Amino acid sequence: MIFAGSETIAWTLEWAMLNLLNHPEVLKKVRAEIDTKIGFDRLIDEPDTINLPYLQMIVLETLRFYPVAPTLDPHMPSDDCMLAGYDVPRGSMLLVNIWAMHRDPSIWEDPEMFKPERFENEKQKQKLLSFGIGRRACPGIGLAHRVVSLALGSMVQCFEWQRIGEEYVDSREEPMTLMRPATPLLAMCKARPIVHKILVS
Ligand code: HEM
């Protein structure tokens, strides 16, 4: 649980921040959503995240574009079976390349673009495989959504964020079983007035 729930959440958050820095218009839109719905007198809390649909869409789009478990966990059938028309003998190791499925243009419109708005259509969610599917799917899905949304929402609410230079942040992936950015994210941040207000009170 600790292994499966720590780096997955941390790296999803890192990918989400990286995408916000490379898409300032998305960052601006989510900040406006948080400021409008939460105001400037209190910090965002877990129950708020459900009323922040654009924040949720950013989390979903991050999970689509950069699924931290790009081939899920290896699965091994205990009996011979047939899968997608292929005979799979008992004991074979099966890896599911969801990274490729999430970028398949026959499944997603403009798959190479970071576009949270695609999840305005609720049905798109059903195509996400970032947590696997079926009996061995991730049991931490609910917790992961809550923690990532709350952490990301807090970072946006409390700080102004900027890239450290003019150029886009490097979004290449480290080729590992769990996928993080090849270059650890560096960013500039400045506390927003709400931080001073909360600290003083
Ligand atoms: C963004 C966060 C997370 C992602 C993307 C993620 C993704 C996944 C994936 C893809 C699997 C394998 C599913 C399969 O092979 O079909 C998995 C399994 C698992 N995850 Fe997560 N996970 C996340 C967070 C968490 C959290 C927060 C917990 C618990 C605190 C957790 C606990 C587990 C456990 C125990 C398994 C093994 C389940 C089994 O083998 O039956 N995960 N996760």
Side-chain angles (χ1 to χ4, degrees), residues 1-2 4-10 12 63 67-75 98 129-141 143-145 147-148:
M1 291 261 288
I2 289 169
S6 317
E7 289 179 334
T8 47
I9 288 196
T12 300
L63 289 164
V68 289
T71 55
L72 302 182
D73 281 348
H75 287 249
I98 62 151
L129 292 169
S130 325
F131 295 92
I133 197 162
R135 284 185 300 175
R136 297 298 295 270
C138 176
I141 180 167
L143 179 63
H145 272 288
V147 173
V148 174

PDB file of all heavy atoms in Angstrom, residues 1-2 4-10 12 63 67-75 98 129-141 143-145 147-148, ligand 1:
ATOM      1  N   MET A   1       0.840  -1.198   0.000  1.00  0.00           N
ATOM      2  CA  MET A   1       0.000   0.000   0.000  1.00  0.00           C
ATOM      3  C   MET A   1       0.875   1.249   0.000  1.00  0.00           C
ATOM      4  O   MET A   1       0.626   2.193  -0.740  1.00  0.00           O
ATOM      5  CB  MET A   1      -0.890   0.027   1.246  1.00  0.00           C
ATOM      6  CG  MET A   1      -1.946  -1.030   1.254  1.00  0.00           C
ATOM      7  SD  MET A   1      -3.530  -0.401   0.730  1.00  0.00           S
ATOM      8  CE  MET A   1      -3.984   0.586   2.143  1.00  0.00           C
ATOM      9  N   ILE A   2       1.953   1.234   0.843  1.00  0.00           N
ATOM     10  CA  ILE A   2       2.818   2.415   0.916  1.00  0.00           C
ATOM     11  C   ILE A   2       3.553   2.589  -0.412  1.00  0.00           C
ATOM     12  O   ILE A   2       3.612   3.681  -0.977  1.00  0.00           O
ATOM     13  CB  ILE A   2       3.810   2.310   2.112  1.00  0.00           C
ATOM     14  CG1 ILE A   2       3.027   2.470   3.407  1.00  0.00           C
ATOM     15  CG2 ILE A   2       4.905   3.373   2.016  1.00  0.00           C
ATOM     16  CD1 ILE A   2       3.791   2.133   4.661  1.00  0.00           C
ATOM     17  N   ALA A   4       2.682   1.324  -3.377  1.00  0.00           N
ATOM     18  CA  ALA A   4       1.749   1.576  -4.493  1.00  0.00           C
ATOM     19  C   ALA A   4       1.101   2.956  -4.407  1.00  0.00           C
ATOM     20  O   ALA A   4       0.661   3.491  -5.413  1.00  0.00           O
ATOM     21  CB  ALA A   4       0.662   0.495  -4.514  1.00  0.00           C
ATOM     22  N   GLY A   5       1.061   3.538  -3.202  1.00  0.00           N
ATOM     23  CA  GLY A   5       0.319   4.783  -3.035  1.00  0.00           C
ATOM     24  C   GLY A   5       1.167   6.029  -2.864  1.00  0.00           C
ATOM     25  O   GLY A   5       0.618   7.120  -2.754  1.00  0.00           O
ATOM     26  N   SER A   6       2.511   5.896  -2.845  1.00  0.00           N
ATOM     27  CA  SER A   6       3.325   7.092  -2.587  1.00  0.00           C
ATOM     28  C   SER A   6       3.852   7.704  -3.877  1.00  0.00           C
ATOM     29  O   SER A   6       3.473   8.809  -4.258  1.00  0.00           O
ATOM     30  CB  SER A   6       4.517   6.768  -1.682  1.00  0.00           C
ATOM     31  OG  SER A   6       4.130   5.933  -0.647  1.00  0.00           O
ATOM     32  N   GLU A   7       4.729   6.956  -4.576  1.00  0.00           N
ATOM     33  CA  GLU A   7       5.340   7.533  -5.784  1.00  0.00           C
ATOM     34  C   GLU A   7       4.294   7.752  -6.869  1.00  0.00           C
ATOM     35  O   GLU A   7       4.384   8.699  -7.644  1.00  0.00           O
ATOM     36  CB  GLU A   7       6.469   6.632  -6.261  1.00  0.00           C
ATOM     37  CG  GLU A   7       7.653   6.726  -5.306  1.00  0.00           C
ATOM     38  CD  GLU A   7       8.813   5.847  -5.690  1.00  0.00           C
ATOM     39  OE1 GLU A   7       8.593   4.817  -6.364  1.00  0.00           O
ATOM     40  OE2 GLU A   7       9.938   6.194  -5.303  1.00  0.00           O
ATOM     41  N   THR A   8       3.282   6.896  -6.929  1.00  0.00           N
ATOM     42  CA  THR A   8       2.234   7.074  -7.943  1.00  0.00           C
ATOM     43  C   THR A   8       1.574   8.445  -7.765  1.00  0.00           C
ATOM     44  O   THR A   8       1.420   9.193  -8.727  1.00  0.00           O
ATOM     45  CB  THR A   8       1.163   5.974  -7.794  1.00  0.00           C
ATOM     46  OG1 THR A   8       0.807   5.865  -6.421  1.00  0.00           O
ATOM     47  CG2 THR A   8       1.631   4.642  -8.330  1.00  0.00           C
ATOM     48  N   ILE A   9       1.233   8.773  -6.523  1.00  0.00           N
ATOM     49  CA  ILE A   9       0.576  10.057  -6.267  1.00  0.00           C
ATOM     50  C   ILE A   9       1.552  11.212  -6.485  1.00  0.00           C
ATOM     51  O   ILE A   9       1.235  12.200  -7.152  1.00  0.00           O
ATOM     52  CB  ILE A   9      -0.009  10.090  -4.837  1.00  0.00           C
ATOM     53  CG1 ILE A   9      -1.220   9.169  -4.782  1.00  0.00           C
ATOM     54  CG2 ILE A   9      -0.362  11.509  -4.419  1.00  0.00           C
ATOM     55  CD1 ILE A   9      -2.120   9.342  -3.611  1.00  0.00           C
ATOM     56  N   ALA A  10       2.784  11.067  -5.955  1.00  0.00           N
ATOM     57  CA  ALA A  10       3.769  12.153  -6.081  1.00  0.00           C
ATOM     58  C   ALA A  10       4.061  12.441  -7.555  1.00  0.00           C
ATOM     59  O   ALA A  10       4.131  13.603  -7.969  1.00  0.00           O
ATOM     60  CB  ALA A  10       5.045  11.784  -5.341  1.00  0.00           C
ATOM     61  N   THR A  12       2.217  11.677 -10.244  1.00  0.00           N
ATOM     62  CA  THR A  12       1.045  12.211 -10.956  1.00  0.00           C
ATOM     63  C   THR A  12       0.948  13.712 -10.700  1.00  0.00           C
ATOM     64  O   THR A  12       0.682  14.502 -11.603  1.00  0.00           O
ATOM     65  CB  THR A  12      -0.252  11.497 -10.495  1.00  0.00           C
ATOM     66  OG1 THR A  12      -0.118  10.106 -10.782  1.00  0.00           O
ATOM     67  CG2 THR A  12      -1.482  12.028 -11.210  1.00  0.00           C
ATOM     68  N   LEU A  63      -3.797  11.974 -15.860  1.00  0.00           N
ATOM     69  CA  LEU A  63      -3.776  10.504 -15.769  1.00  0.00           C
ATOM     70  C   LEU A  63      -3.839   9.862 -17.160  1.00  0.00           C
ATOM     71  O   LEU A  63      -3.340   8.771 -17.375  1.00  0.00           O
ATOM     72  CB  LEU A  63      -4.944  10.011 -14.921  1.00  0.00           C
ATOM     73  CG  LEU A  63      -4.833  10.305 -13.412  1.00  0.00           C
ATOM     74  CD1 LEU A  63      -6.191  10.140 -12.737  1.00  0.00           C
ATOM     75  CD2 LEU A  63      -3.800   9.396 -12.751  1.00  0.00           C
ATOM     76  N   PRO A  67       0.174   8.416 -17.666  1.00  0.00           N
ATOM     77  CA  PRO A  67      -0.197   7.416 -16.647  1.00  0.00           C
ATOM     78  C   PRO A  67       1.084   6.886 -15.992  1.00  0.00           C
ATOM     79  O   PRO A  67       1.963   6.366 -16.678  1.00  0.00           O
ATOM     80  CB  PRO A  67      -0.884   6.311 -17.482  1.00  0.00           C
ATOM     81  CG  PRO A  67      -0.348   6.469 -18.872  1.00  0.00           C
ATOM     82  CD  PRO A  67       0.041   7.912 -19.037  1.00  0.00           C
ATOM     83  N   VAL A  68       1.205   7.058 -14.684  1.00  0.00           N
ATOM     84  CA  VAL A  68       2.468   6.697 -14.027  1.00  0.00           C
ATOM     85  C   VAL A  68       2.750   5.189 -14.039  1.00  0.00           C
ATOM     86  O   VAL A  68       3.878   4.777 -13.862  1.00  0.00           O
ATOM     87  CB  VAL A  68       2.568   7.244 -12.574  1.00  0.00           C
ATOM     88  CG1 VAL A  68       2.745   8.741 -12.556  1.00  0.00           C
ATOM     89  CG2 VAL A  68       1.394   6.816 -11.734  1.00  0.00           C
ATOM     90  N   ALA A  69       1.698   4.385 -14.258  1.00  0.00           N
ATOM     91  CA  ALA A  69       1.920   2.934 -14.418  1.00  0.00           C
ATOM     92  C   ALA A  69       1.577   2.585 -15.876  1.00  0.00           C
ATOM     93  O   ALA A  69       0.498   2.066 -16.155  1.00  0.00           O
ATOM     94  CB  ALA A  69       1.053   2.156 -13.436  1.00  0.00           C
ATOM     95  N   PRO A  70       2.518   2.883 -16.823  1.00  0.00           N
ATOM     96  CA  PRO A  70       2.169   2.825 -18.253  1.00  0.00           C
ATOM     97  C   PRO A  70       1.858   1.426 -18.774  1.00  0.00           C
ATOM     98  O   PRO A  70       1.192   1.300 -19.800  1.00  0.00           O
ATOM     99  CB  PRO A  70       3.409   3.390 -18.954  1.00  0.00           C
ATOM    100  CG  PRO A  70       4.510   3.290 -17.970  1.00  0.00           C
ATOM    101  CD  PRO A  70       3.901   3.334 -16.609  1.00  0.00           C
ATOM    102  N   THR A  71       2.313   0.393 -18.081  1.00  0.00           N
ATOM    103  CA  THR A  71       1.973  -0.973 -18.542  1.00  0.00           C
ATOM    104  C   THR A  71       1.194  -1.734 -17.464  1.00  0.00           C
ATOM    105  O   THR A  71       1.168  -2.961 -17.457  1.00  0.00           O
ATOM    106  CB  THR A  71       3.241  -1.779 -18.902  1.00  0.00           C
ATOM    107  OG1 THR A  71       4.114  -1.766 -17.782  1.00  0.00           O
ATOM    108  CG2 THR A  71       3.953  -1.212 -20.116  1.00  0.00           C
ATOM    109  N   LEU A  72       0.550  -1.033 -16.576  1.00  0.00           N
ATOM    110  CA  LEU A  72      -0.137  -1.615 -15.413  1.00  0.00           C
ATOM    111  C   LEU A  72       0.840  -2.541 -14.671  1.00  0.00           C
ATOM    112  O   LEU A  72       2.045  -2.412 -14.835  1.00  0.00           O
ATOM    113  CB  LEU A  72      -1.394  -2.390 -15.847  1.00  0.00           C
ATOM    114  CG  LEU A  72      -2.459  -1.597 -16.618  1.00  0.00           C
ATOM    115  CD1 LEU A  72      -3.654  -2.484 -16.933  1.00  0.00           C
ATOM    116  CD2 LEU A  72      -2.918  -0.368 -15.847  1.00  0.00           C
ATOM    117  N   ASP A  73       0.312  -3.446 -13.851  1.00  0.00           N
ATOM    118  CA  ASP A  73       1.156  -4.463 -13.219  1.00  0.00           C
ATOM    119  C   ASP A  73       1.178  -5.665 -14.147  1.00  0.00           C
ATOM    120  O   ASP A  73       0.208  -5.911 -14.864  1.00  0.00           O
ATOM    121  CB  ASP A  73       0.531  -4.906 -11.886  1.00  0.00           C
ATOM    122  CG  ASP A  73       0.807  -3.906 -10.777  1.00  0.00           C
ATOM    123  OD1 ASP A  73       1.659  -3.015 -10.994  1.00  0.00           O
ATOM    124  OD2 ASP A  73       0.173  -4.016  -9.716  1.00  0.00           O
ATOM    125  N   PRO A  74       2.261  -6.458 -14.138  1.00  0.00           N
ATOM    126  CA  PRO A  74       2.241  -7.673 -14.956  1.00  0.00           C
ATOM    127  C   PRO A  74       1.140  -8.609 -14.461  1.00  0.00           C
ATOM    128  O   PRO A  74       0.942  -8.761 -13.254  1.00  0.00           O
ATOM    129  CB  PRO A  74       3.616  -8.295 -14.708  1.00  0.00           C
ATOM    130  CG  PRO A  74       4.440  -7.235 -14.068  1.00  0.00           C
ATOM    131  CD  PRO A  74       3.500  -6.309 -13.370  1.00  0.00           C
ATOM    132  N   HIS A  75       0.375  -9.175 -15.387  1.00  0.00           N
ATOM    133  CA  HIS A  75      -0.668 -10.149 -15.028  1.00  0.00           C
ATOM    134  C   HIS A  75      -0.266 -11.505 -15.571  1.00  0.00           C
ATOM    135  O   HIS A  75       0.424 -11.600 -16.584  1.00  0.00           O
ATOM    136  CB  HIS A  75      -2.011  -9.729 -15.624  1.00  0.00           C
ATOM    137  CG  HIS A  75      -2.612  -8.552 -14.914  1.00  0.00           C
ATOM    138  ND1 HIS A  75      -3.746  -8.646 -14.134  1.00  0.00           N
ATOM    139  CD2 HIS A  75      -2.225  -7.257 -14.842  1.00  0.00           C
ATOM    140  CE1 HIS A  75      -4.016  -7.449 -13.627  1.00  0.00           C
ATOM    141  NE2 HIS A  75      -3.116  -6.588 -14.049  1.00  0.00           N
ATOM    142  N   ILE A  98      -1.046   0.694 -21.615  1.00  0.00           N
ATOM    143  CA  ILE A  98      -2.101   1.727 -21.573  1.00  0.00           C
ATOM    144  C   ILE A  98      -1.567   3.087 -22.018  1.00  0.00           C
ATOM    145  O   ILE A  98      -2.321   3.942 -22.442  1.00  0.00           O
ATOM    146  CB  ILE A  98      -2.786   1.841 -20.188  1.00  0.00           C
ATOM    147  CG1 ILE A  98      -1.794   2.248 -19.114  1.00  0.00           C
ATOM    148  CG2 ILE A  98      -3.524   0.583 -19.827  1.00  0.00           C
ATOM    149  CD1 ILE A  98      -2.448   3.014 -17.999  1.00  0.00           C
ATOM    150  N   LEU A 129      -7.659   4.082 -18.395  1.00  0.00           N
ATOM    151  CA  LEU A 129      -7.232   2.811 -17.806  1.00  0.00           C
ATOM    152  C   LEU A 129      -6.078   3.001 -16.823  1.00  0.00           C
ATOM    153  O   LEU A 129      -5.369   2.046 -16.503  1.00  0.00           O
ATOM    154  CB  LEU A 129      -6.798   1.857 -18.933  1.00  0.00           C
ATOM    155  CG  LEU A 129      -7.930   1.383 -19.840  1.00  0.00           C
ATOM    156  CD1 LEU A 129      -7.375   0.685 -21.070  1.00  0.00           C
ATOM    157  CD2 LEU A 129      -8.863   0.443 -19.083  1.00  0.00           C
ATOM    158  N   SER A 130      -5.900   4.229 -16.352  1.00  0.00           N
ATOM    159  CA  SER A 130      -4.734   4.542 -15.516  1.00  0.00           C
ATOM    160  C   SER A 130      -4.664   3.720 -14.238  1.00  0.00           C
ATOM    161  O   SER A 130      -3.591   3.566 -13.650  1.00  0.00           O
ATOM    162  CB  SER A 130      -4.760   6.023 -15.117  1.00  0.00           C
ATOM    163  OG  SER A 130      -5.284   6.801 -16.142  1.00  0.00           O
ATOM    164  N   PHE A 131      -5.795   3.207 -13.776  1.00  0.00           N
ATOM    165  CA  PHE A 131      -5.811   2.420 -12.539  1.00  0.00           C
ATOM    166  C   PHE A 131      -6.098   0.946 -12.828  1.00  0.00           C
ATOM    167  O   PHE A 131      -6.404   0.188 -11.911  1.00  0.00           O
ATOM    168  CB  PHE A 131      -6.872   2.972 -11.573  1.00  0.00           C
ATOM    169  CG  PHE A 131      -6.575   4.371 -11.092  1.00  0.00           C
ATOM    170  CD1 PHE A 131      -7.079   5.481 -11.761  1.00  0.00           C
ATOM    171  CD2 PHE A 131      -5.778   4.592  -9.981  1.00  0.00           C
ATOM    172  CE1 PHE A 131      -6.801   6.769 -11.336  1.00  0.00           C
ATOM    173  CE2 PHE A 131      -5.496   5.877  -9.542  1.00  0.00           C
ATOM    174  CZ  PHE A 131      -6.005   6.977 -10.215  1.00  0.00           C
ATOM    175  N   GLY A 132      -6.004   0.546 -14.095  1.00  0.00           N
ATOM    176  CA  GLY A 132      -6.346  -0.833 -14.453  1.00  0.00           C
ATOM    177  C   GLY A 132      -7.857  -0.997 -14.483  1.00  0.00           C
ATOM    178  O   GLY A 132      -8.621  -0.019 -14.390  1.00  0.00           O
ATOM    179  N   ILE A 133      -8.282  -2.233 -14.603  1.00  0.00           N
ATOM    180  CA  ILE A 133      -9.725  -2.499 -14.682  1.00  0.00           C
ATOM    181  C   ILE A 133      -9.979  -3.920 -14.155  1.00  0.00           C
ATOM    182  O   ILE A 133      -9.088  -4.765 -14.215  1.00  0.00           O
ATOM    183  CB  ILE A 133     -10.185  -2.331 -16.161  1.00  0.00           C
ATOM    184  CG1 ILE A 133     -11.690  -2.179 -16.269  1.00  0.00           C
ATOM    185  CG2 ILE A 133      -9.693  -3.448 -17.051  1.00  0.00           C
ATOM    186  CD1 ILE A 133     -12.126  -1.599 -17.605  1.00  0.00           C
ATOM    187  N   GLY A 134     -11.157  -4.138 -13.609  1.00  0.00           N
ATOM    188  CA  GLY A 134     -11.504  -5.491 -13.154  1.00  0.00           C
ATOM    189  C   GLY A 134     -11.063  -5.775 -11.727  1.00  0.00           C
ATOM    190  O   GLY A 134     -10.754  -4.863 -10.967  1.00  0.00           O
ATOM    191  N   ARG A 135     -10.994  -7.061 -11.406  1.00  0.00           N
ATOM    192  CA  ARG A 135     -10.793  -7.449 -10.001  1.00  0.00           C
ATOM    193  C   ARG A 135      -9.451  -7.036  -9.419  1.00  0.00           C
ATOM    194  O   ARG A 135      -9.302  -6.894  -8.219  1.00  0.00           O
ATOM    195  CB  ARG A 135     -10.960  -8.965  -9.871  1.00  0.00           C
ATOM    196  CG  ARG A 135     -12.409  -9.384  -9.919  1.00  0.00           C
ATOM    197  CD  ARG A 135     -12.557 -10.863  -9.677  1.00  0.00           C
ATOM    198  NE  ARG A 135     -11.840 -11.621 -10.700  1.00  0.00           N
ATOM    199  CZ  ARG A 135     -11.714 -12.935 -10.694  1.00  0.00           C
ATOM    200  NH1 ARG A 135     -12.216 -13.636  -9.694  1.00  0.00           N
ATOM    201  NH2 ARG A 135     -11.091 -13.555 -11.654  1.00  0.00           N
ATOM    202  N   ARG A 136      -8.426  -6.913 -10.279  1.00  0.00           N
ATOM    203  CA  ARG A 136      -7.119  -6.523  -9.750  1.00  0.00           C
ATOM    204  C   ARG A 136      -6.807  -5.045 -10.005  1.00  0.00           C
ATOM    205  O   ARG A 136      -5.645  -4.632  -9.951  1.00  0.00           O
ATOM    206  CB  ARG A 136      -6.007  -7.403 -10.335  1.00  0.00           C
ATOM    207  CG  ARG A 136      -6.114  -8.861  -9.975  1.00  0.00           C
ATOM    208  CD  ARG A 136      -6.025  -9.114  -8.484  1.00  0.00           C
ATOM    209  NE  ARG A 136      -4.751  -8.769  -7.896  1.00  0.00           N
ATOM    210  CZ  ARG A 136      -3.720  -9.603  -7.788  1.00  0.00           C
ATOM    211  NH1 ARG A 136      -3.841 -10.829  -8.226  1.00  0.00           N
ATOM    212  NH2 ARG A 136      -2.597  -9.220  -7.245  1.00  0.00           N
ATOM    213  N   ALA A 137      -7.844  -4.263 -10.316  1.00  0.00           N
ATOM    214  CA  ALA A 137      -7.626  -2.819 -10.519  1.00  0.00           C
ATOM    215  C   ALA A 137      -7.169  -2.184  -9.207  1.00  0.00           C
ATOM    216  O   ALA A 137      -7.300  -2.776  -8.134  1.00  0.00           O
ATOM    217  CB  ALA A 137      -8.922  -2.168 -10.989  1.00  0.00           C
ATOM    218  N   CYS A 138      -6.629  -0.979  -9.324  1.00  0.00           N
ATOM    219  CA  CYS A 138      -6.093  -0.286  -8.147  1.00  0.00           C
ATOM    220  C   CYS A 138      -7.192  -0.035  -7.112  1.00  0.00           C
ATOM    221  O   CYS A 138      -8.183   0.630  -7.412  1.00  0.00           O
ATOM    222  CB  CYS A 138      -5.488   1.040  -8.592  1.00  0.00           C
ATOM    223  SG  CYS A 138      -4.911   2.034  -7.216  1.00  0.00           S
ATOM    224  N   PRO A 139      -6.987  -0.505  -5.854  1.00  0.00           N
ATOM    225  CA  PRO A 139      -7.991  -0.230  -4.818  1.00  0.00           C
ATOM    226  C   PRO A 139      -7.867   1.197  -4.269  1.00  0.00           C
ATOM    227  O   PRO A 139      -8.711   1.637  -3.493  1.00  0.00           O
ATOM    228  CB  PRO A 139      -7.667  -1.264  -3.740  1.00  0.00           C
ATOM    229  CG  PRO A 139      -6.216  -1.567  -3.930  1.00  0.00           C
ATOM    230  CD  PRO A 139      -5.898  -1.354  -5.376  1.00  0.00           C
ATOM    231  N   GLY A 140      -6.797   1.915  -4.685  1.00  0.00           N
ATOM    232  CA  GLY A 140      -6.571   3.254  -4.123  1.00  0.00           C
ATOM    233  C   GLY A 140      -7.130   4.360  -4.997  1.00  0.00           C
ATOM    234  O   GLY A 140      -6.858   5.535  -4.743  1.00  0.00           O
ATOM    235  N   ILE A 141      -7.936   4.009  -6.007  1.00  0.00           N
ATOM    236  CA  ILE A 141      -8.387   5.014  -6.981  1.00  0.00           C
ATOM    237  C   ILE A 141      -9.103   6.213  -6.340  1.00  0.00           C
ATOM    238  O   ILE A 141      -8.805   7.360  -6.660  1.00  0.00           O
ATOM    239  CB  ILE A 141      -9.244   4.352  -8.105  1.00  0.00           C
ATOM    240  CG1 ILE A 141      -9.716   5.384  -9.126  1.00  0.00           C
ATOM    241  CG2 ILE A 141     -10.418   3.574  -7.573  1.00  0.00           C
ATOM    242  CD1 ILE A 141     -10.279   4.768 -10.401  1.00  0.00           C
ATOM    243  N   LEU A 143      -8.948   7.312  -3.177  1.00  0.00           N
ATOM    244  CA  LEU A 143      -7.997   8.072  -2.364  1.00  0.00           C
ATOM    245  C   LEU A 143      -7.074   8.882  -3.278  1.00  0.00           C
ATOM    246  O   LEU A 143      -6.808  10.064  -3.025  1.00  0.00           O
ATOM    247  CB  LEU A 143      -7.182   7.101  -1.500  1.00  0.00           C
ATOM    248  CG  LEU A 143      -6.130   7.728  -0.597  1.00  0.00           C
ATOM    249  CD1 LEU A 143      -6.766   8.633   0.436  1.00  0.00           C
ATOM    250  CD2 LEU A 143      -5.313   6.636   0.111  1.00  0.00           C
ATOM    251  N   ALA A 144      -6.593   8.238  -4.348  1.00  0.00           N
ATOM    252  CA  ALA A 144      -5.650   8.916  -5.262  1.00  0.00           C
ATOM    253  C   ALA A 144      -6.288  10.166  -5.867  1.00  0.00           C
ATOM    254  O   ALA A 144      -5.680  11.234  -5.883  1.00  0.00           O
ATOM    255  CB  ALA A 144      -5.207   7.956  -6.363  1.00  0.00           C
ATOM    256  N   HIS A 145      -7.535  10.041  -6.346  1.00  0.00           N
ATOM    257  CA  HIS A 145      -8.208  11.207  -6.936  1.00  0.00           C
ATOM    258  C   HIS A 145      -8.328  12.332  -5.911  1.00  0.00           C
ATOM    259  O   HIS A 145      -8.084  13.496  -6.211  1.00  0.00           O
ATOM    260  CB  HIS A 145      -9.604  10.826  -7.436  1.00  0.00           C
ATOM    261  CG  HIS A 145      -9.586  10.323  -8.857  1.00  0.00           C
ATOM    262  ND1 HIS A 145      -9.381  11.144  -9.928  1.00  0.00           N
ATOM    263  CD2 HIS A 145      -9.744   9.085  -9.363  1.00  0.00           C
ATOM    264  CE1 HIS A 145      -9.412  10.433 -11.044  1.00  0.00           C
ATOM    265  NE2 HIS A 145      -9.632   9.176 -10.741  1.00  0.00           N
ATOM    266  N   VAL A 147      -6.550  12.870  -3.078  1.00  0.00           N
ATOM    267  CA  VAL A 147      -5.272  13.451  -2.637  1.00  0.00           C
ATOM    268  C   VAL A 147      -4.649  14.311  -3.739  1.00  0.00           C
ATOM    269  O   VAL A 147      -4.204  15.425  -3.481  1.00  0.00           O
ATOM    270  CB  VAL A 147      -4.286  12.331  -2.198  1.00  0.00           C
ATOM    271  CG1 VAL A 147      -2.910  12.906  -1.899  1.00  0.00           C
ATOM    272  CG2 VAL A 147      -4.819  11.609  -0.973  1.00  0.00           C
ATOM    273  N   VAL A 148      -4.662  13.800  -4.986  1.00  0.00           N
ATOM    274  CA  VAL A 148      -4.053  14.574  -6.078  1.00  0.00           C
ATOM    275  C   VAL A 148      -4.833  15.876  -6.282  1.00  0.00           C
ATOM    276  O   VAL A 148      -4.248  16.948  -6.417  1.00  0.00           O
ATOM    277  CB  VAL A 148      -3.973  13.745  -7.391  1.00  0.00           C
ATOM    278  CG1 VAL A 148      -3.474  14.610  -8.542  1.00  0.00           C
ATOM    279  CG2 VAL A 148      -3.059  12.537  -7.214  1.00  0.00           C
TER     280      VAL A 148
HETATM  281  C1  HEM B   1      -2.264   8.324  -9.019  1.00  0.00           C
HETATM  282  C2  HEM B   1      -2.199   7.327  -8.171  1.00  0.00           C
HETATM  283  C3  HEM B   1      -2.260   5.862  -8.522  1.00  0.00           C
HETATM  284  C4  HEM B   1      -2.193   5.226  -9.737  1.00  0.00           C
HETATM  285  C5  HEM B   1      -2.039   5.853 -11.123  1.00  0.00           C
HETATM  286  C6  HEM B   1      -2.298   3.799  -9.476  1.00  0.00           C
HETATM  287  C7  HEM B   1      -2.296   2.831 -10.458  1.00  0.00           C
HETATM  288  C8  HEM B   1      -2.355   1.470 -10.204  1.00  0.00           C
HETATM  289  C9  HEM B   1      -2.322   0.442 -11.218  1.00  0.00           C
HETATM  290  C10 HEM B   1      -2.240   0.700 -12.707  1.00  0.00           C
HETATM  291  C11 HEM B   1      -2.359  -0.756 -10.593  1.00  0.00           C
HETATM  292  C12 HEM B   1      -2.348  -2.128 -11.274  1.00  0.00           C
HETATM  293  C13 HEM B   1      -3.706  -2.482 -11.837  1.00  0.00           C
HETATM  294  C14 HEM B   1      -3.670  -3.609 -12.830  1.00  0.00           C
HETATM  295  O1  HEM B   1      -2.596  -4.144 -13.116  1.00  0.00           O
HETATM  296  O2  HEM B   1      -4.726  -3.965 -13.361  1.00  0.00           O
HETATM  297  C15 HEM B   1      -2.417  -0.505  -9.165  1.00  0.00           C
HETATM  298  C16 HEM B   1      -2.482  -1.487  -8.213  1.00  0.00           C
HETATM  299  C17 HEM B   1      -2.519  -1.237  -6.859  1.00  0.00           C
HETATM  300  N1  HEM B   1      -2.614  -0.012  -6.238  1.00  0.00           N
HETATM  301 FE1  HEM B   1      -2.640   1.799  -7.193  1.00  0.00          FE
HETATM  302  N2  HEM B   1      -2.424   3.606  -8.131  1.00  0.00           N
HETATM  303  C18 HEM B   1      -2.412   4.831  -7.507  1.00  0.00           C
HETATM  304  C19 HEM B   1      -2.547   5.075  -6.151  1.00  0.00           C
HETATM  305  C20 HEM B   1      -2.730   4.104  -5.186  1.00  0.00           C
HETATM  306  C21 HEM B   1      -2.993   4.361  -3.776  1.00  0.00           C
HETATM  307  C22 HEM B   1      -3.179   5.755  -3.159  1.00  0.00           C
HETATM  308  C23 HEM B   1      -3.053   3.146  -3.147  1.00  0.00           C
HETATM  309  C24 HEM B   1      -3.314   2.806  -1.706  1.00  0.00           C
HETATM  310  C25 HEM B   1      -3.098   3.584  -0.695  1.00  0.00           C
HETATM  311  C26 HEM B   1      -2.822   2.129  -4.164  1.00  0.00           C
HETATM  312  C27 HEM B   1      -2.786   0.779  -3.920  1.00  0.00           C
HETATM  313  C28 HEM B   1      -2.670  -0.193  -4.880  1.00  0.00           C
HETATM  314  C29 HEM B   1      -2.561  -1.636  -4.594  1.00  0.00           C
HETATM  315  C30 HEM B   1      -2.593  -2.272  -3.209  1.00  0.00           C
HETATM  316  C31 HEM B   1      -2.489  -2.275  -5.837  1.00  0.00           C
HETATM  317  C32 HEM B   1      -2.396  -3.792  -6.087  1.00  0.00           C
HETATM  318  C33 HEM B   1      -3.808  -4.351  -6.292  1.00  0.00           C
HETATM  319  C34 HEM B   1      -3.806  -5.838  -6.640  1.00  0.00           C
HETATM  320  O3  HEM B   1      -2.790  -6.363  -7.086  1.00  0.00           O
HETATM  321  O4  HEM B   1      -4.854  -6.492  -6.485  1.00  0.00           O
HETATM  322  N3  HEM B   1      -2.647   2.755  -5.378  1.00  0.00           N
HETATM  323  N4  HEM B   1      -2.427   0.856  -8.951  1.00  0.00           N
END
